[in-house]
Every structure is written in C-alpha cells, then in structure tokens.
Amino acid sequence: MTDNCLFCKIIAGEIPGKFIYEDDRVVVLQDIAPQAPHHYLVVPRKHIRTTLELTAEDNELVGHVYQVASRLAEKHGFAKEGFRVVNNCNEGAGQTVWHVHFHLLGGRTMTWPPG
Ligand code: AMP
Ligand code: ZN
C-alpha cells in the first residue's frame, strides 16, 4: 500500500471499486470511463509505479496478467473477434494513474495505429 495511490486505495477497500475478478496477485476493475464495450483494468496488487520499474522479480506477475486478460476475454465472449491489452507508460503515452495496470479492451473493431 502506497499513500495517495488511487489503485492501492481501491485494492485496500478505502475507496469503493467493483472487482470483476481477483486473485492473490491481481484485481480487475471495470474502467470508470470505458473506451470500448468491454474495458477492464488488470491491476497488480503490488504497487509498481510504471512499467519502467518492473524487474525480473515481476516476470511471473506480468505473465499472469496476460493469462488473466485472455481468460476474461474468453469468458466475456470477445476473445475470438479480437481484443487489445494496453499499458500506457508515462505521461506522453497517456498514463494518468501511477500504479502499473493493463487495459483490456474488446467488443469493437480496433484501428491501427493507436492514437
Ligand atoms: P491510464 O490513463 O493508462 O493511467 O489509465 C488509467 C485508467 O483508470 C483510465 O482509463 C481511467 O478511466 C481509469 N480510472 C480512473 N479512476 C478510476 C476508478 N476510480 N475506477 C476505475 N477506473 C478508473
Ligand atoms: Zn499503488
């Protein structure tokens, strides 16, 4: 738990948040401002500020994030049509919450390149 971190506070139950999935390593939130019919945030319980702070110790955790994202895409029925897992690192890429998280987006056609 890191002071003044939104996601740490949600994980600790200090700020309300609805988890659509949780286990010992991650929680998954419905994004408050969805950018697709399905927009979830896979959030490690461990406070890591950005992708740049990930270390070899976190390799298994990041693999787990992708496993969870894939299983949720299947469970919610948008895996086959296609989905995106996105991590924004630092302001220029659009990061606004300083606790590493992975957007799982699906349920619509995605364009490339991303904005
Ligand atoms: P990023 O801009 O990549 O750091 O992603 C942060 C995401 O968190 C944005 O998509 C926000 O809409 C989302 N968000 C902000 N506050 C909340 C909240 N209280 N519950 C769920 N999602 C949130
Ligand atoms: Zn945090």
Side-chain angles (χ1 to χ4, degrees):
M1 168 77 182
T2 296
D3 289 347
N4 292 322
C5 170
L6 175 66
F7 288 165
C8 280
K9 286 182 176 170
I10 292 174
I11 290 166
E14 289 178 16
I15 292 176
K18 191 181 151 227
F19 301 154
I20 65 144
Y21 171 86
E22 65 177 306
D23 62 28
D24 58 329
R25 286 164 284 177
V26 300
V27 302
V28 181
L29 292 167
Q30 171 84 57
D31 197 290
I32 207 169
Q35 301 301 312
H38 295 275
H39 187 174
Y40 308 118
L41 300 173
V42 186
V43 185
R45 289 184 182 274
K46 179 180 176 185
H47 180 86
I48 301 166
R49 195 172 169 275
T50 79
T51 299
L52 290 167
E53 279 79 38
L54 288 164
T55 68
E57 190 182 283
D58 305 309
N59 286 354
E60 197 276 337
L61 173 63
V62 176
H64 183 62
V65 164
Y66 277 84
Q67 287 285 319
V68 167
S70 295
R71 297 296 81 75
L72 284 174
E74 287 171 341
K75 182 180 171 189
H76 290 275
F78 58 92
K80 232 175 176 175
E81 73 190 44
F83 62 93
R84 219 171 252 179
V85 178
V86 177
N87 164 252
N88 296 324
C89 183
N90 277 343
E91 268 170 19
Q95 185 172 4
T96 57
V97 178
W98 303 94
H99 177 133
V100 81
H101 53 280
F102 299 78
H103 299 255
L104 169 60
L105 298 143
R108 66 166 167 83
T109 303
M110 305 282 166
T111 58
W112 193 264

